[in-house]
Amino acid sequence: MTVTVIIGTQWGDEGKGKITDLLARDMDMIVRYQGGNNAGHTVVIKDETFKLHLIPSGVFYPNVVCVIGNGVVVDPAVLLQEINSLKQRGFALDNLRISAQAHVIFPYHRDLDAAQEQKNEAGRIGTTNRGIGPCYVDKFNRRGIRIGDLGNTELLRQRLAWNILEKSFQLNNFYNYPVNYDIDQLIADYTKMFNEFKHLVVDESTALINQAVNQNKRILMEGAQGTMLDVDHGTYPYVTSSSPIAGGACSGAGIGPQEIDEVIGVVKAYVTRVGGGPFPTEIIGGMGDQLREKGHEYGATTGRPRRCGWFDGVVMKHASKINGITQLAITKIDVLSQLEKIMVCTAYEYEGKTITDFPTDIYRLAKCRPIYEEWPGWNEDLSKVTKYQDLPVNTKKYLERLAELAEAKIALISVGAERGQIIKLI
Ligand code: IMP
């Protein structure tokens, strides 16, 4: 096993950070391949909680090379804040590398994100307001500024001048969102920040990664967000602006698809979503509130309460297909203890018909009603279980049903936030 991709199978927040951290100790390299500081990974080590947004969770192991890949969008201020806070807590960070091809988030991206979200006609997506979407727009519109460009003041000035002109006009005149950017100040600020982390920047991140592939090193490609937030395969337009799916690793890190050996799908035992958009198995109030409190379901990035619902087998099947999942990591099963019954959605009812293929058109999706199976709960506390055979019978039945719907085998089951709270099956 050389290249493993780890992805979220739902709307993000499945607990990928903990699984990445767990796998990281056996890896030589971890590559983050898309997204930016819209993501939030919480890793608990002993009594310390670490919240990471950009830096891959593997950074806690000094021997693991951690790469922020070309497909990521980087807010340098957030990157520096993370670097400095980890350094203060004793991590040298000599193992971090940042691709010169990664795109840079500027204040006008954040302003555009906020302005768009305020304009009703644009349709509120409920973004994290970090400027992610507008930065990817510039990338694909070929006026983005990349990390490597920050070291070339002349080029930076030229690119910034055009961007500032365009964005100021758009914000001031179309969005009624008054802005006034000072190009000299921006150049000074971004150059200063770049100088603080430029020793970590690699010009050819794809060469670095492919060299590791050729040497049969163990590499973990870490996707942020989740399949249902994928710009192509999620609940468009209520999605993020990148490709969190396994295929995104090929473009976001620069490897060939045939190099991928395993795809681990991280599955939360129930489902959550932050922001707007369809969520067929959402539970409003009652049990939804109970799951939120018990599972501490508040956004790691924005602190927003997450919407909660039952496990959705249709979403799962969609994720299995799109990502080519070979193994499952099921998280937060402990949160479901003490429930009398647990519902599992196995199909949708759409205009009188039963369907199991996820409708990616949100108007068709809005007409879908989940069809549930009822499973008996269990009362036991699972937080100290380390062997599969020690799980209550009903927990095993529930997990086996999830695996059946996912058409993949379970490799890991997480029973708590701590590193040691894990059951390994493979
Ligand atoms: P953006 O990525 O900030 O543009 O937000 C687009 C949508 O993706 C919004 O619904 C966000 O709440 C959601 N989103 C972005 N990142 C994450 C994440 O890491 N976890 C969960 N939802 C996310």
Side-chain angles (χ1 to χ4, degrees), residues 11-13 16 38-40 113 125-134 224-226 229 237-241 273-276 301-302 304 306:
W11 281 274
D13 308 317
K16 294 179 294 293
N38 46 351
D113 203 350
I125 304 294
T127 72
T128 58
N129 259 323
R130 301 296 191 263
I132 307 294
Q225 289 86 41
L229 289 172
Y238 295 94
V239 291
T240 193
S241 303
R273 153 159 228 179
V274 223
T301 300
T302 56
R304 291 180 289 177
R306 296 177 185 146

PDB file of all heavy atoms in Angstrom, residues 11-13 16 38-40 113 125-134 224-226 229 237-241 273-276 301-302 304 306, ligand 1:
ATOM      1  N   TRP A  11     -21.203  15.582   4.309  1.00  0.00           N
ATOM      2  CA  TRP A  11     -21.034  17.024   4.056  1.00  0.00           C
ATOM      3  C   TRP A  11     -19.873  17.597   4.875  1.00  0.00           C
ATOM      4  O   TRP A  11     -19.948  18.715   5.359  1.00  0.00           O
ATOM      5  CB  TRP A  11     -22.327  17.760   4.381  1.00  0.00           C
ATOM      6  CG  TRP A  11     -23.386  17.673   3.326  1.00  0.00           C
ATOM      7  CD1 TRP A  11     -23.508  18.488   2.238  1.00  0.00           C
ATOM      8  CD2 TRP A  11     -24.468  16.737   3.248  1.00  0.00           C
ATOM      9  NE1 TRP A  11     -24.597  18.094   1.480  1.00  0.00           N
ATOM     10  CE2 TRP A  11     -25.210  17.034   2.074  1.00  0.00           C
ATOM     11  CE3 TRP A  11     -24.881  15.670   4.042  1.00  0.00           C
ATOM     12  CZ2 TRP A  11     -26.333  16.317   1.689  1.00  0.00           C
ATOM     13  CZ3 TRP A  11     -25.994  14.949   3.656  1.00  0.00           C
ATOM     14  CH2 TRP A  11     -26.705  15.273   2.496  1.00  0.00           C
ATOM     15  N   GLY A  12     -18.810  16.826   5.017  1.00  0.00           N
ATOM     16  CA  GLY A  12     -17.676  17.281   5.825  1.00  0.00           C
ATOM     17  C   GLY A  12     -17.898  16.978   7.294  1.00  0.00           C
ATOM     18  O   GLY A  12     -18.963  16.455   7.682  1.00  0.00           O
ATOM     19  N   ASP A  13     -16.877  17.250   8.105  1.00  0.00           N
ATOM     20  CA  ASP A  13     -16.941  17.047   9.554  1.00  0.00           C
ATOM     21  C   ASP A  13     -17.227  15.597   9.947  1.00  0.00           C
ATOM     22  O   ASP A  13     -17.883  15.334  10.945  1.00  0.00           O
ATOM     23  CB  ASP A  13     -18.003  17.973  10.196  1.00  0.00           C
ATOM     24  CG  ASP A  13     -17.807  19.414   9.796  1.00  0.00           C
ATOM     25  OD1 ASP A  13     -16.654  19.855   9.789  1.00  0.00           O
ATOM     26  OD2 ASP A  13     -18.803  20.092   9.473  1.00  0.00           O
ATOM     27  N   LYS A  16     -12.367  13.247   9.817  1.00  0.00           N
ATOM     28  CA  LYS A  16     -11.192  12.860   9.012  1.00  0.00           C
ATOM     29  C   LYS A  16      -9.887  13.194   9.736  1.00  0.00           C
ATOM     30  O   LYS A  16      -8.916  12.471   9.599  1.00  0.00           O
ATOM     31  CB  LYS A  16     -11.202  13.592   7.659  1.00  0.00           C
ATOM     32  CG  LYS A  16     -12.349  13.194   6.754  1.00  0.00           C
ATOM     33  CD  LYS A  16     -12.313  13.960   5.454  1.00  0.00           C
ATOM     34  CE  LYS A  16     -12.562  15.453   5.633  1.00  0.00           C
ATOM     35  NZ  LYS A  16     -13.908  15.814   6.085  1.00  0.00           N
ATOM     36  N   ASN A  38     -11.362  26.914   5.118  1.00  0.00           N
ATOM     37  CA  ASN A  38     -12.780  26.617   5.388  1.00  0.00           C
ATOM     38  C   ASN A  38     -12.871  25.322   6.184  1.00  0.00           C
ATOM     39  O   ASN A  38     -13.854  25.051   6.842  1.00  0.00           O
ATOM     40  CB  ASN A  38     -13.596  26.509   4.079  1.00  0.00           C
ATOM     41  CG  ASN A  38     -12.928  25.664   3.011  1.00  0.00           C
ATOM     42  OD1 ASN A  38     -11.783  25.265   3.137  1.00  0.00           O
ATOM     43  ND2 ASN A  38     -13.647  25.409   1.943  1.00  0.00           N
ATOM     44  N   ALA A  39     -11.838  24.495   6.088  1.00  0.00           N
ATOM     45  CA  ALA A  39     -11.826  23.223   6.807  1.00  0.00           C
ATOM     46  C   ALA A  39     -11.376  23.436   8.243  1.00  0.00           C
ATOM     47  O   ALA A  39     -10.739  24.436   8.559  1.00  0.00           O
ATOM     48  CB  ALA A  39     -10.859  22.265   6.118  1.00  0.00           C
ATOM     49  N   GLY A  40     -11.704  22.492   9.074  1.00  0.00           N
ATOM     50  CA  GLY A  40     -11.246  22.552  10.452  1.00  0.00           C
ATOM     51  C   GLY A  40     -11.083  21.142  10.966  1.00  0.00           C
ATOM     52  O   GLY A  40     -12.020  20.358  10.914  1.00  0.00           O
ATOM     53  N   ASP A 113     -16.686  37.190  -0.919  1.00  0.00           N
ATOM     54  CA  ASP A 113     -17.436  36.093  -0.297  1.00  0.00           C
ATOM     55  C   ASP A 113     -18.552  36.676   0.576  1.00  0.00           C
ATOM     56  O   ASP A 113     -19.730  36.311   0.462  1.00  0.00           O
ATOM     57  CB  ASP A 113     -16.459  35.262   0.555  1.00  0.00           C
ATOM     58  CG  ASP A 113     -16.930  33.827   0.807  1.00  0.00           C
ATOM     59  OD1 ASP A 113     -18.094  33.521   0.481  1.00  0.00           O
ATOM     60  OD2 ASP A 113     -16.144  33.022   1.331  1.00  0.00           O
ATOM     61  N   ILE A 125     -25.403  30.782   0.289  1.00  0.00           N
ATOM     62  CA  ILE A 125     -24.904  29.403   0.354  1.00  0.00           C
ATOM     63  C   ILE A 125     -24.591  29.034   1.801  1.00  0.00           C
ATOM     64  O   ILE A 125     -24.636  27.876   2.183  1.00  0.00           O
ATOM     65  CB  ILE A 125     -23.597  29.264  -0.499  1.00  0.00           C
ATOM     66  CG1 ILE A 125     -23.832  29.701  -1.952  1.00  0.00           C
ATOM     67  CG2 ILE A 125     -23.003  27.863  -0.436  1.00  0.00           C
ATOM     68  CD1 ILE A 125     -24.768  28.835  -2.743  1.00  0.00           C
ATOM     69  N   GLY A 126     -24.334  30.070   2.615  1.00  0.00           N
ATOM     70  CA  GLY A 126     -23.905  29.802   3.993  1.00  0.00           C
ATOM     71  C   GLY A 126     -22.443  29.400   4.013  1.00  0.00           C
ATOM     72  O   GLY A 126     -22.069  28.435   4.678  1.00  0.00           O
ATOM     73  N   THR A 127     -21.613  30.136   3.254  1.00  0.00           N
ATOM     74  CA  THR A 127     -20.183  29.788   3.190  1.00  0.00           C
ATOM     75  C   THR A 127     -19.504  30.093   4.513  1.00  0.00           C
ATOM     76  O   THR A 127     -20.098  30.710   5.409  1.00  0.00           O
ATOM     77  CB  THR A 127     -19.440  30.599   2.092  1.00  0.00           C
ATOM     78  OG1 THR A 127     -19.315  31.954   2.542  1.00  0.00           O
ATOM     79  CG2 THR A 127     -20.163  30.557   0.754  1.00  0.00           C
ATOM     80  N   THR A 128     -18.251  29.708   4.606  1.00  0.00           N
ATOM     81  CA  THR A 128     -17.491  29.988   5.826  1.00  0.00           C
ATOM     82  C   THR A 128     -16.940  31.415   5.810  1.00  0.00           C
ATOM     83  O   THR A 128     -16.275  31.829   6.760  1.00  0.00           O
ATOM     84  CB  THR A 128     -16.314  28.998   5.965  1.00  0.00           C
ATOM     85  OG1 THR A 128     -15.496  29.115   4.801  1.00  0.00           O
ATOM     86  CG2 THR A 128     -16.797  27.568   6.098  1.00  0.00           C
ATOM     87  N   ASN A 129     -17.183  32.146   4.726  1.00  0.00           N
ATOM     88  CA  ASN A 129     -16.739  33.546   4.608  1.00  0.00           C
ATOM     89  C   ASN A 129     -15.228  33.703   4.631  1.00  0.00           C
ATOM     90  O   ASN A 129     -14.711  34.732   5.081  1.00  0.00           O
ATOM     91  CB  ASN A 129     -17.333  34.390   5.743  1.00  0.00           C
ATOM     92  CG  ASN A 129     -18.522  35.181   5.238  1.00  0.00           C
ATOM     93  OD1 ASN A 129     -18.513  35.651   4.093  1.00  0.00           O
ATOM     94  ND2 ASN A 129     -19.535  35.305   6.068  1.00  0.00           N
ATOM     95  N   ARG A 130     -14.513  32.704   4.187  1.00  0.00           N
ATOM     96  CA  ARG A 130     -13.052  32.765   4.214  1.00  0.00           C
ATOM     97  C   ARG A 130     -12.471  33.162   2.851  1.00  0.00           C
ATOM     98  O   ARG A 130     -11.268  33.146   2.663  1.00  0.00           O
ATOM     99  CB  ARG A 130     -12.456  31.407   4.632  1.00  0.00           C
ATOM    100  CG  ARG A 130     -12.916  30.912   6.004  1.00  0.00           C
ATOM    101  CD  ARG A 130     -12.426  31.859   7.099  1.00  0.00           C
ATOM    102  NE  ARG A 130     -12.602  31.313   8.437  1.00  0.00           N
ATOM    103  CZ  ARG A 130     -13.617  31.572   9.242  1.00  0.00           C
ATOM    104  NH1 ARG A 130     -14.590  32.357   8.857  1.00  0.00           N
ATOM    105  NH2 ARG A 130     -13.662  31.056  10.461  1.00  0.00           N
ATOM    106  N   GLY A 131     -13.340  33.414   1.880  1.00  0.00           N
ATOM    107  CA  GLY A 131     -12.852  33.826   0.563  1.00  0.00           C
ATOM    108  C   GLY A 131     -12.494  32.656  -0.351  1.00  0.00           C
ATOM    109  O   GLY A 131     -11.840  32.850  -1.390  1.00  0.00           O
ATOM    110  N   ILE A 132     -12.905  31.472   0.034  1.00  0.00           N
ATOM    111  CA  ILE A 132     -12.505  30.259  -0.697  1.00  0.00           C
ATOM    112  C   ILE A 132     -13.040  30.289  -2.139  1.00  0.00           C
ATOM    113  O   ILE A 132     -12.273  30.141  -3.103  1.00  0.00           O
ATOM    114  CB  ILE A 132     -13.030  28.989   0.031  1.00  0.00           C
ATOM    115  CG1 ILE A 132     -12.624  28.981   1.501  1.00  0.00           C
ATOM    116  CG2 ILE A 132     -12.621  27.717  -0.718  1.00  0.00           C
ATOM    117  CD1 ILE A 132     -11.165  28.866   1.798  1.00  0.00           C
ATOM    118  N   GLY A 133     -14.366  30.461  -2.280  1.00  0.00           N
ATOM    119  CA  GLY A 133     -14.981  30.439  -3.614  1.00  0.00           C
ATOM    120  C   GLY A 133     -14.359  31.486  -4.539  1.00  0.00           C
ATOM    121  O   GLY A 133     -13.868  31.157  -5.626  1.00  0.00           O
ATOM    122  N   PRO A 134     -14.324  32.779  -4.148  1.00  0.00           N
ATOM    123  CA  PRO A 134     -13.745  33.807  -5.020  1.00  0.00           C
ATOM    124  C   PRO A 134     -12.280  33.533  -5.375  1.00  0.00           C
ATOM    125  O   PRO A 134     -11.831  33.866  -6.470  1.00  0.00           O
ATOM    126  CB  PRO A 134     -13.897  35.095  -4.190  1.00  0.00           C
ATOM    127  CG  PRO A 134     -15.117  34.832  -3.349  1.00  0.00           C
ATOM    128  CD  PRO A 134     -15.037  33.377  -2.994  1.00  0.00           C
ATOM    129  N   ALA A 224     -10.254  17.554   2.202  1.00  0.00           N
ATOM    130  CA  ALA A 224     -11.007  18.330   3.198  1.00  0.00           C
ATOM    131  C   ALA A 224     -12.484  18.322   2.775  1.00  0.00           C
ATOM    132  O   ALA A 224     -12.820  17.833   1.695  1.00  0.00           O
ATOM    133  CB  ALA A 224     -10.483  19.754   3.253  1.00  0.00           C
ATOM    134  N   GLN A 225     -13.357  18.845   3.622  1.00  0.00           N
ATOM    135  CA  GLN A 225     -14.811  18.830   3.358  1.00  0.00           C
ATOM    136  C   GLN A 225     -15.295  17.399   3.059  1.00  0.00           C
ATOM    137  O   GLN A 225     -14.744  16.469   3.606  1.00  0.00           O
ATOM    138  CB  GLN A 225     -15.189  19.790   2.228  1.00  0.00           C
ATOM    139  CG  GLN A 225     -15.074  21.262   2.594  1.00  0.00           C
ATOM    140  CD  GLN A 225     -13.690  21.833   2.395  1.00  0.00           C
ATOM    141  OE1 GLN A 225     -13.037  21.541   1.416  1.00  0.00           O
ATOM    142  NE2 GLN A 225     -13.236  22.641   3.320  1.00  0.00           N
ATOM    143  N   GLY A 226     -16.258  17.240   2.171  1.00  0.00           N
ATOM    144  CA  GLY A 226     -16.781  15.892   1.927  1.00  0.00           C
ATOM    145  C   GLY A 226     -17.407  15.786   0.547  1.00  0.00           C
ATOM    146  O   GLY A 226     -17.605  16.810  -0.140  1.00  0.00           O
ATOM    147  N   LEU A 229     -20.151  18.011  -0.690  1.00  0.00           N
ATOM    148  CA  LEU A 229     -19.796  19.423  -0.900  1.00  0.00           C
ATOM    149  C   LEU A 229     -18.944  19.577  -2.153  1.00  0.00           C
ATOM    150  O   LEU A 229     -18.460  20.677  -2.456  1.00  0.00           O
ATOM    151  CB  LEU A 229     -19.053  19.974   0.319  1.00  0.00           C
ATOM    152  CG  LEU A 229     -19.896  20.188   1.585  1.00  0.00           C
ATOM    153  CD1 LEU A 229     -19.004  20.551   2.770  1.00  0.00           C
ATOM    154  CD2 LEU A 229     -20.950  21.273   1.392  1.00  0.00           C
ATOM    155  N   PRO A 237     -26.109  24.237  -5.968  1.00  0.00           N
ATOM    156  CA  PRO A 237     -24.937  25.086  -5.699  1.00  0.00           C
ATOM    157  C   PRO A 237     -24.520  25.146  -4.228  1.00  0.00           C
ATOM    158  O   PRO A 237     -23.635  25.932  -3.892  1.00  0.00           O
ATOM    159  CB  PRO A 237     -25.438  26.461  -6.168  1.00  0.00           C
ATOM    160  CG  PRO A 237     -26.891  26.459  -5.827  1.00  0.00           C
ATOM    161  CD  PRO A 237     -27.354  25.029  -6.034  1.00  0.00           C
ATOM    162  N   TYR A 238     -25.151  24.355  -3.387  1.00  0.00           N
ATOM    163  CA  TYR A 238     -24.799  24.401  -1.954  1.00  0.00           C
ATOM    164  C   TYR A 238     -23.587  23.508  -1.700  1.00  0.00           C
ATOM    165  O   TYR A 238     -23.702  22.463  -1.047  1.00  0.00           O
ATOM    166  CB  TYR A 238     -26.001  24.001  -1.104  1.00  0.00           C
ATOM    167  CG  TYR A 238     -27.137  24.989  -1.238  1.00  0.00           C
ATOM    168  CD1 TYR A 238     -28.162  24.792  -2.160  1.00  0.00           C
ATOM    169  CD2 TYR A 238     -27.159  26.145  -0.466  1.00  0.00           C
ATOM    170  CE1 TYR A 238     -29.176  25.718  -2.312  1.00  0.00           C
ATOM    171  CE2 TYR A 238     -28.167  27.075  -0.602  1.00  0.00           C
ATOM    172  CZ  TYR A 238     -29.176  26.855  -1.526  1.00  0.00           C
ATOM    173  OH  TYR A 238     -30.170  27.785  -1.665  1.00  0.00           O
ATOM    174  N   VAL A 239     -22.479  23.912  -2.247  1.00  0.00           N
ATOM    175  CA  VAL A 239     -21.258  23.107  -2.197  1.00  0.00           C
ATOM    176  C   VAL A 239     -20.069  24.042  -1.966  1.00  0.00           C
ATOM    177  O   VAL A 239     -20.228  25.264  -1.961  1.00  0.00           O
ATOM    178  CB  VAL A 239     -21.052  22.359  -3.539  1.00  0.00           C
ATOM    179  CG1 VAL A 239     -22.113  21.282  -3.731  1.00  0.00           C
ATOM    180  CG2 VAL A 239     -21.064  23.323  -4.733  1.00  0.00           C
ATOM    181  N   THR A 240     -18.906  23.470  -1.847  1.00  0.00           N
ATOM    182  CA  THR A 240     -17.704  24.290  -1.797  1.00  0.00           C
ATOM    183  C   THR A 240     -17.158  24.410  -3.221  1.00  0.00           C
ATOM    184  O   THR A 240     -17.736  23.843  -4.158  1.00  0.00           O
ATOM    185  CB  THR A 240     -16.673  23.730  -0.784  1.00  0.00           C
ATOM    186  OG1 THR A 240     -15.668  24.722  -0.559  1.00  0.00           O
ATOM    187  CG2 THR A 240     -16.048  22.430  -1.264  1.00  0.00           C
ATOM    188  N   SER A 241     -16.059  25.120  -3.413  1.00  0.00           N
ATOM    189  CA  SER A 241     -15.617  25.404  -4.783  1.00  0.00           C
ATOM    190  C   SER A 241     -14.444  24.543  -5.230  1.00  0.00           C
ATOM    191  O   SER A 241     -13.663  24.958  -6.079  1.00  0.00           O
ATOM    192  CB  SER A 241     -15.252  26.884  -4.899  1.00  0.00           C
ATOM    193  OG  SER A 241     -16.357  27.664  -4.533  1.00  0.00           O
ATOM    194  N   ARG A 273     -24.487  18.608   8.704  1.00  0.00           N
ATOM    195  CA  ARG A 273     -24.195  19.559   7.632  1.00  0.00           C
ATOM    196  C   ARG A 273     -24.185  20.961   8.228  1.00  0.00           C
ATOM    197  O   ARG A 273     -25.037  21.270   9.067  1.00  0.00           O
ATOM    198  CB  ARG A 273     -25.264  19.359   6.548  1.00  0.00           C
ATOM    199  CG  ARG A 273     -25.573  20.550   5.686  1.00  0.00           C
ATOM    200  CD  ARG A 273     -26.215  20.239   4.352  1.00  0.00           C
ATOM    201  NE  ARG A 273     -25.444  21.022   3.388  1.00  0.00           N
ATOM    202  CZ  ARG A 273     -25.626  21.047   2.089  1.00  0.00           C
ATOM    203  NH1 ARG A 273     -26.564  20.301   1.552  1.00  0.00           N
ATOM    204  NH2 ARG A 273     -24.878  21.789   1.316  1.00  0.00           N
ATOM    205  N   VAL A 274     -23.240  21.801   7.791  1.00  0.00           N
ATOM    206  CA  VAL A 274     -23.247  23.222   8.202  1.00  0.00           C
ATOM    207  C   VAL A 274     -23.568  24.048   6.960  1.00  0.00           C
ATOM    208  O   VAL A 274     -23.146  23.697   5.868  1.00  0.00           O
ATOM    209  CB  VAL A 274     -21.880  23.760   8.687  1.00  0.00           C
ATOM    210  CG1 VAL A 274     -22.023  24.600   9.919  1.00  0.00           C
ATOM    211  CG2 VAL A 274     -20.849  22.689   8.868  1.00  0.00           C
ATOM    212  N   GLY A 275     -24.244  25.157   7.158  1.00  0.00           N
ATOM    213  CA  GLY A 275     -24.589  26.001   6.007  1.00  0.00           C
ATOM    214  C   GLY A 275     -25.906  25.553   5.392  1.00  0.00           C
ATOM    215  O   GLY A 275     -26.549  24.594   5.869  1.00  0.00           O
ATOM    216  N   GLY A 276     -26.289  26.238   4.308  1.00  0.00           N
ATOM    217  CA  GLY A 276     -27.580  25.959   3.690  1.00  0.00           C
ATOM    218  C   GLY A 276     -27.545  24.735   2.798  1.00  0.00           C
ATOM    219  O   GLY A 276     -26.515  24.078   2.672  1.00  0.00           O
ATOM    220  N   THR A 301     -14.506  25.574  12.366  1.00  0.00           N
ATOM    221  CA  THR A 301     -14.009  26.815  11.772  1.00  0.00           C
ATOM    222  C   THR A 301     -14.848  28.016  12.177  1.00  0.00           C
ATOM    223  O   THR A 301     -14.324  29.050  12.569  1.00  0.00           O
ATOM    224  CB  THR A 301     -13.995  26.667  10.233  1.00  0.00           C
ATOM    225  OG1 THR A 301     -13.140  25.583   9.912  1.00  0.00           O
ATOM    226  CG2 THR A 301     -13.488  27.921   9.547  1.00  0.00           C
ATOM    227  N   THR A 302     -16.160  27.891  12.106  1.00  0.00           N
ATOM    228  CA  THR A 302     -17.012  29.064  12.346  1.00  0.00           C
ATOM    229  C   THR A 302     -17.793  28.978  13.663  1.00  0.00           C
ATOM    230  O   THR A 302     -18.433  29.944  14.055  1.00  0.00           O
ATOM    231  CB  THR A 302     -18.033  29.217  11.201  1.00  0.00           C
ATOM    232  OG1 THR A 302     -18.776  27.997  11.095  1.00  0.00           O
ATOM    233  CG2 THR A 302     -17.356  29.517   9.875  1.00  0.00           C
ATOM    234  N   ARG A 304     -20.471  27.473  14.080  1.00  0.00           N
ATOM    235  CA  ARG A 304     -21.915  27.390  13.816  1.00  0.00           C
ATOM    236  C   ARG A 304     -22.458  26.028  14.240  1.00  0.00           C
ATOM    237  O   ARG A 304     -21.789  25.010  14.064  1.00  0.00           O
ATOM    238  CB  ARG A 304     -22.191  27.559  12.313  1.00  0.00           C
ATOM    239  CG  ARG A 304     -21.928  28.949  11.787  1.00  0.00           C
ATOM    240  CD  ARG A 304     -22.223  29.038  10.306  1.00  0.00           C
ATOM    241  NE  ARG A 304     -21.247  28.318   9.503  1.00  0.00           N
ATOM    242  CZ  ARG A 304     -21.312  28.186   8.190  1.00  0.00           C
ATOM    243  NH1 ARG A 304     -22.325  28.719   7.527  1.00  0.00           N
ATOM    244  NH2 ARG A 304     -20.396  27.531   7.516  1.00  0.00           N
ATOM    245  N   ARG A 306     -24.137  22.614  13.873  1.00  0.00           N
ATOM    246  CA  ARG A 306     -24.334  21.775  12.688  1.00  0.00           C
ATOM    247  C   ARG A 306     -25.739  21.188  12.692  1.00  0.00           C
ATOM    248  O   ARG A 306     -26.267  20.838  13.762  1.00  0.00           O
ATOM    249  CB  ARG A 306     -23.321  20.627  12.678  1.00  0.00           C
ATOM    250  CG  ARG A 306     -21.899  21.118  12.551  1.00  0.00           C
ATOM    251  CD  ARG A 306     -20.903  19.957  12.612  1.00  0.00           C
ATOM    252  NE  ARG A 306     -19.547  20.468  12.606  1.00  0.00           N
ATOM    253  CZ  ARG A 306     -18.514  19.914  13.246  1.00  0.00           C
ATOM    254  NH1 ARG A 306     -18.691  18.817  13.947  1.00  0.00           N
ATOM    255  NH2 ARG A 306     -17.327  20.451  13.176  1.00  0.00           N
TER     256      ARG A 306
HETATM  257  P1  IMP B   1     -17.088  27.628   1.464  1.00  0.00           P
HETATM  258  O1  IMP B   1     -16.259  26.394   1.312  1.00  0.00           O
HETATM  259  O2  IMP B   1     -16.626  28.519   2.575  1.00  0.00           O
HETATM  260  O3  IMP B   1     -17.270  28.357   0.162  1.00  0.00           O
HETATM  261  O4  IMP B   1     -18.566  27.167   1.890  1.00  0.00           O
HETATM  262  C1  IMP B   1     -19.413  26.437   1.032  1.00  0.00           C
HETATM  263  C2  IMP B   1     -20.214  25.403   1.807  1.00  0.00           C
HETATM  264  O5  IMP B   1     -19.346  24.387   2.280  1.00  0.00           O
HETATM  265  C3  IMP B   1     -20.921  25.942   3.055  1.00  0.00           C
HETATM  266  O6  IMP B   1     -22.144  25.250   3.230  1.00  0.00           O
HETATM  267  C4  IMP B   1     -19.968  25.592   4.183  1.00  0.00           C
HETATM  268  O7  IMP B   1     -20.621  25.490   5.424  1.00  0.00           O
HETATM  269  C5  IMP B   1     -19.464  24.245   3.696  1.00  0.00           C
HETATM  270  N1  IMP B   1     -18.138  23.894   4.223  1.00  0.00           N
HETATM  271  C6  IMP B   1     -16.945  24.375   3.810  1.00  0.00           C
HETATM  272  N2  IMP B   1     -15.950  23.797   4.495  1.00  0.00           N
HETATM  273  C7  IMP B   1     -16.505  22.915   5.336  1.00  0.00           C
HETATM  274  C8  IMP B   1     -15.973  21.968   6.279  1.00  0.00           C
HETATM  275  O8  IMP B   1     -14.762  21.817   6.448  1.00  0.00           O
HETATM  276  N3  IMP B   1     -16.902  21.228   6.956  1.00  0.00           N
HETATM  277  C9  IMP B   1     -18.227  21.343   6.742  1.00  0.00           C
HETATM  278  N4  IMP B   1     -18.770  22.204   5.869  1.00  0.00           N
HETATM  279  C10 IMP B   1     -17.919  22.976   5.161  1.00  0.00           C
END
